[in-house]
Amino acid sequence: MDVNLRALIDPSIDVGVAGGAALLDFSDTLLGPNRVALDRARTRLAQELGLPAVAGAAAVAANFSKNDRIANGCGIPIDPAILKITKDIRADLGLNEFRSAKNTFQHFADE
Amino acid sequence: MSIYDESAFPVSDEIASVHATQLRQLGEPGTWGTGTQRIAVAAQARQAGYAAGVLEQEPGSREPEEIDFPAAVRDFIRKLAVAPKDVVKSDYEEVRASGLSDEEYVEIVGIVSRATNVDIFARGIGVPLQPLPEPQPGQPSRERPPEAIPEHAWVPTIPNGAAGGEIGEELYQGKPKPYIIRGLSLVPDELRRHVTLEYAQYLPIPRILDMEYSHHTGLTRPQVEVVAGRVSSINECFF
């Protein structure tokens, strides 16, 4: 998968998939307080990737909003096997600075 | 007839059906909360969304009466609903200190997470939020899985493997699962409903390593992962 992960942190960067900027814009505005911007982003997404893509993107965004609440609400750690294979990318993207990172590092060392 | 019939964007029957079912179930007695309490939690989460400007209330829509939750519980529901990145262990500890059990806490996490999921989806496709159902009578089951023990989460969880017993075998489908699945296992119904939504809104979990597979018409798997990754970045979910 040739996704540029840095774009997930900085959406001004080309994420490397078709309709990527539209998907990022939709994701950001869906979670934000500007309804006009969301409506505009939804229209753009439909124009670039087609009508079915809107419900798909909304479903995925909502699903991971659910997962993020479960993870942060239950204070779950990343499992050690995943921690090991993500070490470089986490450091590269600044993920270790997330407040929820503490839920992992209090149990597992980042070796 | 689908609950999303007025959407200008086609919604799969699978998603519409799961959402309709889970909305109805919100009003039913759960494992630890009555229907009234469960609806009040969902309503509190929705109100927080209105106040934060990330959900829009339809003119004339009626929200259920609020329950007098302890302040720590009310604050936690609001924070989890609109600022999950700011949830820290002291929030959990304050809810517990207010008198709620781990089991009640987990059920609240499950309800807020699933209810905000349905609301965010509606907002995403540009339709009004679904009305919350009327609460149904009856008492919660209060069935706690004895297999759930302190592991690495704030709350007890059912372990992988033999220690998880028959309930673990059923919930985890015979294979070790990461904490993102096991986190809600203290309240098995919340885990089941979380996984059901996962199948419908992301993909069937057995297909997760198949990078050619996408569960959504009009989106490739990389496009799906872009949305997933960006949302989790915004919510600062380390997992």
Side-chain angles (χ1 to χ4, degrees):
Chain A
M1 201 180 323
D2 291 326
V3 172
N4 184 343
L5 296 178
R6 286 190 179 81
L8 303 181
I9 307 298
D10 178 358
S12 70
I13 297 171
D14 181 0
V15 72
V17 303
L23 287 166
L24 291 172
D25 190 26
F26 179 74
S27 301
D28 282 20
T29 53
L30 178 52
L31 270 57
N34 188 330
R35 181 58 187 253
V36 172
L38 169 60
D39 291 341
R40 196 181 309 128
R42 187 187 308 111
T43 299
R44 175 188 180 187
L45 184 60
Q47 288 171 344
E48 291 197 23
L49 295 183
L51 296 181
V54 172
V60 174
N63 185 73
F64 279 82
S65 293
K66 162 180 66 74
N67 292 0
D68 297 339
R69 284 165 176 78
I70 290 170
N72 289 5
C74 292
I76 64 171
I78 288 182
D79 299 74
I82 299 174
L83 196 66
K84 187 175 180 181
I85 63 176
T86 59
K87 181 173 181 176
D88 290 343
I89 195 66
R90 283 186 284 107
D92 196 28
L93 298 180
L95 306 187
N96 296 333
E97 310 311 312
F98 288 174
R99 201 169 295 184
S100 56
K102 185 177 180 181
N103 300 331
T104 293
F105 294 134
Q106 72 179 82
H107 297 292
F108 307 120
D110 199 8
E111 297 174 317
Chain B
M1 197 165 119
S2 160
I3 61 173
Y4 296 122
D5 273 344
E6 67 180 290
S7 170
F9 308 98
V11 177
S12 72
D13 290 342
E14 181 185 22
I15 288 175
S17 173
V18 168
H19 284 191
T21 296
Q22 294 206 3
L23 279 165
R24 175 180 50 77
Q25 288 172 334
L26 269 182
E28 296 171 355
T31 310
W32 299 97
T34 63
T36 299
Q37 290 169 325
R38 288 160 54 83
I39 290 295
V41 169
Q44 189 81 222
R46 188 174 273 188
Q47 288 292 334
Y50 296 152
V54 294
L55 291 177
E56 291 80 25
Q57 186 168 13
E58 289 291 306
S61 68
R62 184 189 64 82
E63 293 301 331
E65 293 293 323
E66 289 195 15
I67 279 188
D68 193 18
F69 289 120
V73 176
R74 187 186 309 278
D75 291 345
F76 171 70
I77 292 170
R78 287 173 179 163
K79 183 184 276 191
L80 187 64
V82 301
K85 67 181 177 66
D86 294 332
V87 173
V88 292
K89 193 171 183 183
S90 58
D91 296 315
Y92 156 73
E93 291 167 340
E94 287 171 19
V95 170
R96 294 282 281 112
S98 75
L100 266 65
S101 64
D102 273 326
E103 295 82 0
E104 290 165 326
Y105 178 88
V106 169
E107 186 151 318
I108 287 173
V109 171
I111 290 169
V112 173
S113 302
R114 293 187 298 108
T116 55
N117 163 74
V118 173
D119 284 352
I120 289 171
F121 178 77
R123 191 171 191 247
I125 62 172
V127 300
L129 304 184
Q130 293 294 319
L132 295 174
E134 288 296 320
Q136 298 304 304
Q139 292 302 308
S141 66
R142 299 190 182 278
E143 293 173 356
R144 186 199 188 282
E147 294 84 355
I149 58 172
E151 291 189 285
H152 298 111
W154 298 339
V155 296
T157 45
I158 296 175
N160 281 316
E166 286 184 15
I167 184 71
E169 178 78 17
E170 178 243 309
L171 292 174
Y172 307 151
Q173 299 173 326
K175 293 182 179 175
K177 290 293 186 288
Y179 274 108
I180 190 59
I181 299 297
R182 297 200 291 123
L184 295 175
S185 56
L186 181 60
V187 183
D189 273 350
E190 283 302 325
L191 188 160
R192 293 184 184 103
R193 290 166 187 169
H194 157 47
V195 172
T196 297
L197 288 167
E198 201 74 4
Y199 272 58
Q201 292 185 224
Y202 178 43
L203 45 64
I205 292 171
R207 303 294 301 264
I208 197 164
L209 295 180
D210 181 356
M211 290 301 156
E212 299 299 315
Y213 175 78
S214 175
H215 199 60
H216 298 285
T217 303
L219 290 177
T220 64
R221 181 65 185 278
Q223 289 169 329
V224 165
E225 296 302 330
V226 164
V227 175
R230 180 57 185 156
V231 165
S232 293
S233 170
I234 293 169
N235 289 328
E236 294 191 11
C237 177
F238 188 66
F239 197 99

